[in-house]
Amino acid sequence: MTRPARPLLRHLAVTVSFALAMLGTAVGVGAFGGDPIDEAAGGLLAADATHLAPATGAFRIWSLIYLGLGAYCVWQWWDRHDHRGVTLPAIGSLLLNAAWILSIQAGAVGVSVVVIVLLLAVLGLLAHRLAARPAGGTLERLVVDGTFGVYLGWVSVATCANIAAALKGAGFAGFGAPGVLAAAVLAAVAVLGVALVRAGRRPVAAPAAMIWGLVWIAVGRALDAPHSPVTALAALAAAAVIAAAAVWAWWRTAQAAEPGRSPSAVRPAAEAARSPRGGHRPTEEAR
């Protein structure tokens, strides 16, 4: 029997997109003479620029994301059918990543907001597709679900920081209470994190990346300018809410997986507990 030919064009498209993303990253770190991201666009994306800017250590997560994207680029050469529909949104995320870096280098922070919101939407679509179909094995779960989960979680937090930077560049001062406004935004991030946990399939990567970003926001507001205990506490609270939701989801999944605890097995007992008589209705034979 003849084996089906590999979809060469799809594989090449992912590989070229990954190469362009890496080229954009090199531009972003100043490898070709440009300013690093934290110094570009007048420093609006520096760790001390806004109340929602994570401390410098947070950006080490990009090393993990790029390592995962590289692993995905290699892995997808053995994925003949793309049953989960990963390819197109993955390519979109890689190209939007490069576009975001170039927009920052050009000083177009407003444009960068549009780009990162599109990137967030693409990663959300990708997460939806991954949740709809389980991974084919441990390797796929790690390379695909893990990589794009971390990517989504980090971009969810980075989007808020990016919008805050654009608003500062436009002269917005947070209605005179930027710390309180930042806390409100972080509450919305917590809601988003819980939604991602509920929508995922035993989610780990996305909530972990969100918690990482939120903790580093707290560190930045506690130890660096602009100092804001309110924002720091709100960031830690948001991280705790997401962590609790993730642990609860894992516990519920583990309980359902135990013998005799599947939804079909526990439903009769639950219905009996809700019965006015506290037990099962008698059958026709018992009557």
Side-chain angles (χ1 to χ4, degrees):
M1 180 177 178
T2 304
R3 299 178 65 184
R6 292 181 178 178
L8 182 61
L9 183 59
R10 172 165 60 86
H11 298 321
L12 288 174
V14 173
T15 304
V16 170
S17 299
F18 175 72
L20 290 174
M22 294 302 97
L23 180 61
T25 301
V27 172
V29 299
F32 299 107
D35 294 325
I37 292 296
D38 60 345
E39 298 177 10
L44 286 174
L45 292 170
D48 58 354
T50 69
H51 281 71
L52 291 175
T56 303
F59 299 97
R60 289 196 291 266
I61 197 172
W62 277 114
S63 298
L64 177 61
I65 293 172
Y66 286 135
L67 179 64
L69 290 173
Y72 164 71
C73 182
V74 173
W75 174 87
Q76 59 93 30
W77 280 90
W78 281 266
D79 181 23
R80 294 179 178 276
H81 304 292
D82 189 29
H83 288 304
R84 304 173 80 191
V86 175
T87 299
L88 287 180
I91 290 173
S93 72
L94 291 165
L95 296 179
L96 286 168
N97 189 336
W100 183 84
I101 292 173
L102 293 176
S103 65
I104 293 297
Q105 285 293 330
V109 181
V111 174
S112 75
V113 169
V114 176
V115 174
I116 201 169
V117 169
L118 288 173
L119 174 58
L120 182 61
V122 168
L123 290 172
L125 171 63
L126 183 48
H128 174 73
R129 292 186 177 184
L130 293 178
R133 285 193 172 190
T138 301
L139 180 62
E140 182 178 352
R141 189 176 303 113
L142 180 65
V143 170
V144 182
D145 299 59
T147 294
F148 290 104
V150 172
Y151 201 178
L152 172 61
W154 170 251
V155 170
S156 299
V157 176
T159 299
C160 299
N162 200 163
I163 293 173
L167 290 174
K168 180 179 179 180
F172 180 65
F175 302 114
V180 175
L181 181 59
V185 172
L186 292 169
V189 172
V191 172
L192 174 61
V194 172
L196 288 177
V197 168
R198 291 176 61 85
R201 186 186 294 272
R202 277 194 163 184
V204 175
M210 293 186 75
I211 291 168
W212 170 271
L214 290 167
V215 168
W216 280 105
I217 290 176
V219 170
R221 300 296 66 79
L223 303 179
D224 202 354
H227 295 286
S228 177
V230 170
T231 306
L233 289 174
L236 290 177
V241 167
I242 295 171
V247 171
W248 175 254
W250 267 83
W251 182 82
R252 289 292 299 272
T253 303
Q255 289 292 101
E258 290 182 8
R261 284 187 175 269
S262 65
S264 60
V266 301
R267 190 177 296 115
E271 292 175 351
R274 290 195 299 269
S275 172
R277 298 181 180 179
H280 296 291
R281 294 181 179 179
T283 62
E284 292 296 331
E285 290 78 6
R287 292 172 187 161

